């Protein structure tokens, strides 16, 4: 007869989970041992529970199979919650397991005991607690919820002490694959017909494409629709790669660097058509002109009352909706294609580093030149993210990993670790500022232990630059509370056994990148730059 821990490990393996991330507790060792014995699935020790959840979320994002993490009571669970919230708002499928007190102690005052169900309720799609008789059922149901419709996080509490208990019922009645593939579509054609006149009447519509379109994998339909209607396309940051930057109808990325330049396009629109637009990245009313909105998604548009003249929701599967739109008899719109091209070229020109300069633009630009198209970039939160969001040429959405729904600093290193585990044959780079690096530098020990050939590029400007820019815009002291001053005069040669190279100019940087990509294991490049370039590029007005 199988134990709870054995069924736990086997069920996760059966749904396609490759790794479980965490920091072991006394109660968890039964599950770690079961994972060790189960072929095709492994437990990965990390330095901090937040890393475990971030890594699991990114695995879910890249594979479509829920990522899995585990933490102990109290502080383990609260540490884990940072990454769990990330999976929820960045729309990564995740199963987060935590130790919980047994039934007789659940409501007692006990060391490390808090109510995990209340803790995880606001940052998950579902939170529950399993027992000896429903292990498989709960895991399969959780996996279905995590991947269904809008992906996100699920929390499952495991009562302490049941890992070695026998399981009476092994086979569950829950069909995880059926739950995963649920789709809404029956009324899409009728809904599209209702908005056809509005689309025909407008002269300058714009397509605003978001994160849900990435999950629906509708790049081909999107390109075909833009070309049929001759309509420009703007993307939210996490939708980068869904529409090619070199396409004549590509107009740029919302919210990130030079957003005022992108606004020169969409401010002319007389209709906005949101396609898989998830406001978790950027609310419609924060950038839209005062025009009607057609919102095509599985969720209704979340807009502030009275902010948009007219909102029409088309609810259903995106691929079905776009295919129906392609059938519409709509004449090409009247956008000036030369203007679109010139505006885009101005954006790219302003994001091109000046000859001989070595600042954040050069760091990003040179990295893009040397990272192959199949390579993956994981980027942290900060001023540099705003550059990447507009500047980085992205062949496909899964080639650029960022957090823009949750927006937690410290994301890049765990994301890169997970990306390399999921794609061991692809080059992987983590790009971050010195603030984000400080938060997760300890996980370089994990990269070293796993011998993961990852290039870690740290932009050192001795400041929390994005916050400093905001201080400047409000005429505050732009160094108070944001100056880091952590860069020693003498560079170190390693962190936790990971080699470090410090660079201060383009020649040194190029040589360091060449060395890093040829290395057998991880390597850190400290790029020492000035933050001055950010001032005219980042946090520009969106209207």
């Amino acid at each position: 007869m199988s134990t709870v821990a054995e069924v736990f490990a086997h069920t996760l393996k059966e749904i396609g989970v490759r790794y479980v991330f965490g920091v072991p507790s006394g109660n968890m060792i039964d599950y770690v041992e079961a994972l060790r014995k189960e072929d095709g699935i492994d437990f990965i020790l990390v330095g901090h529970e937040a890393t475990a959840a971030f890594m699991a979320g990114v695995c879910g994002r890249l594979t479509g199979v829920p990522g899995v993490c585990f933490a102990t009571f109290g502080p383990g669970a609260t540490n884990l919650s940072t990454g769990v919230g990330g999976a929820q708002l960045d729309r990564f499928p995740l199963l987060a397991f935590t130790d919980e007190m047994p039934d007789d102690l659940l409501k007692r005052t006990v060391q490390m005991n808090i109510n995990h169900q209340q803790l995880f309720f606001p940052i998950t799609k579902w939170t529950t607690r399993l027992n000896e008789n429903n292990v498989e059922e709960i895991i399969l149901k959780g996996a279905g919820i995590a991947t269904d419709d809008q992906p996100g996080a699920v929390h499952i509490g495991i009562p302490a002490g049941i890992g070695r208990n026998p399981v009476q019922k092994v086979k569950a009645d829950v069909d995880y694959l059926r739950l995963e593939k649920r789709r809404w579509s029956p009324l899409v054609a009728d809904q599209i017909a209702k908005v056809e006149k509005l689309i025909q009447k407008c002269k300058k519509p714009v397509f605003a494409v978001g994160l849900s379109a990435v999950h629906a994998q509708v790049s081909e339909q999107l390109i075909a629709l833009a070309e049929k209607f001759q309509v420009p396309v703007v993307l939210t940051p996490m939708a980068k790669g869904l529409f090619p930057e070199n396409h004549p109808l590509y107009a740029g990325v919302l919210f990130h660097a030079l957003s005022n330049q992108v606004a020169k396009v969409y401010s002319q629109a007389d209709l906005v058509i949101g396609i898989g637009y998830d406001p978790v990245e950027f609310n419609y009313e924060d950038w839209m002109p005062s025009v009607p909105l057609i919102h095509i998604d599985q969720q209704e548009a979340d807009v502030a009352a009275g902010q948009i003249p007219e909102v029409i929701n088309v609810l259903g599967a995106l691929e079905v909706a776009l295919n129906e739109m392609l059938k519409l008899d709509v004449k090409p719109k009247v956008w000036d294609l030369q203007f679109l091209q010139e505006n885009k070229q101005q954006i790219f020109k302003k994001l091109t580093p000046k000859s001989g300069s070595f600042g954040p633009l050069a760091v990003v630009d040179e990295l893009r030149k040397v990272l192959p198209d199949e390579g993956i970039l994981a980027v942290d939160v900060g001023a540099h993210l705003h550059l990447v969001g507009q500047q980085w040429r992205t062949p496909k959405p899964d080639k650029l990993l960022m957090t823009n729904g949750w927006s937690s600093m410290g994301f890049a290193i765990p994301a890169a670790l997970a990306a390399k585990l999921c794609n061991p044959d692809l080059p992987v780079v983590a790009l971050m500022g010195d603030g984000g690096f400080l938060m997760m530098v300890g996980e370089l020990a994990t990269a070293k232990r796993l011998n993961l050939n990852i290039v870690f590029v740290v932009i050192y400007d001795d400041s929390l630059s994005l916050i400093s820019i905001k201080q400047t815009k409000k005429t505050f002291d732009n160094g108070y509370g944001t100056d880091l001053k952590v860069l020693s005069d003498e560079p170190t040669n390693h962190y936790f056994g990971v080699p470090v190279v410090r660079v201060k100019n383009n020649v040194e940087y190029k040589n360091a990148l060449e060395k890093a990509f040829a290395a057998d294991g991880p390597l850190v490049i400290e790029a020492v730059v000035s933050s001055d370039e950010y001032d005219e590029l980042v946090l520009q007005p969106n209207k």
Side-chain angles (χ1 to χ4, degrees), residues 165-238:
N165 292 359
V167 172
Q168 302 296 329
K169 178 183 178 184
V170 176
K171 191 63 181 174
D173 297 325
V174 179
D175 186 345
Y176 155 63
L177 291 177
R178 178 186 62 79
L179 284 170
E180 181 189 17
K181 300 299 181 184
R182 182 170 70 87
R183 288 289 184 266
W184 311 359
S185 62
L187 300 178
V188 166
D190 292 340
Q191 295 176 78
I192 293 293
K194 292 179 181 179
V195 301
E196 182 174 5
K197 289 183 179 180
L198 186 58
I199 295 173
Q200 288 175 332
K201 180 182 177 182
C202 69
K203 294 180 179 180
K204 284 189 171 184
V206 65
F207 290 148
V209 182
L211 186 52
S212 297
V214 174
H215 300 142
Q217 300 179 345
V218 292
S219 180
E220 290 185 9
Q221 293 100 317
L222 176 61
I223 294 171
L225 191 64
E227 292 175 349
K228 176 183 172 69
F229 289 9
Q230 287 294 286
V231 170
V233 175
V234 294
L235 304 172
T236 62
M238 293 183 75

Side-chain angles (χ1 to χ4, degrees), residues 15-190:
I15 65 175
V17 174
R18 180 66 185 85
Y19 300 106
V20 176
F21 304 96
V23 179
S25 63
N27 284 292
M28 190 190 176
I29 59 174
D30 293 327
Y31 302 88
V32 172
E33 177 67 5
L35 290 167
R36 184 186 70 81
K37 291 181 177 179
E38 185 74 38
D39 290 336
I41 186 170
D42 289 299
F43 173 75
I44 302 293
L45 171 66
V46 297
H48 193 280
E49 292 88 349
T51 297
F54 280 133
M55 291 182 70
V58 170
C59 283
R61 162 69 180 87
L62 292 173
T63 67
V65 176
V68 178
C69 54
F70 198 113
T72 191
F73 311 101
T78 55
N79 286 346
L80 196 75
S81 67
T82 295
V84 173
Q88 180 70 357
L89 293 193
D90 288 326
R91 315 311 191 197
F92 298 162
L94 173 79
L95 294 179
F97 294 89
T98 63
D99 285 327
E100 290 190 349
M101 292 295 166
D103 291 345
D104 60 326
L105 295 177
L106 198 57
K107 296 183 179 180
R108 296 280 308 280
T109 301
V110 183
Q111 181 195 37
M112 301 171 71
N113 184 32
I114 59 170
N115 189 323
H116 287 188
Q117 299 300 315
Q118 289 186 3
L119 170 67
F120 287 101
F121 178 80
I123 56 172
T124 58
K125 296 178 72 176
W126 185 50
T127 178
T128 191
R129 176 177 164 95
L130 56 74
N131 59 53
E132 293 99 326
N133 298 316
N134 63 5
V135 179
E136 187 183 32
E137 179 180 352
I138 290 295
I139 291 175
L140 291 178
K141 183 176 179 181
I145 292 171
T147 54
D148 191 29
D149 186 16
Q150 188 178 76
V154 165
H155 165 254
I156 300 173
I158 302 180
I162 68 169
R164 301 178 68 179
N165 292 359
V167 172
Q168 302 296 329
K169 178 183 178 184
V170 176
K171 191 63 181 174
D173 297 325
V174 179
D175 186 345
Y176 155 63
L177 291 177
R178 178 186 62 79
L179 284 170
E180 181 189 17
K181 300 299 181 184
R182 182 170 70 87
R183 288 289 184 266
W184 311 359
S185 62
L187 300 178
V188 166
D190 292 340

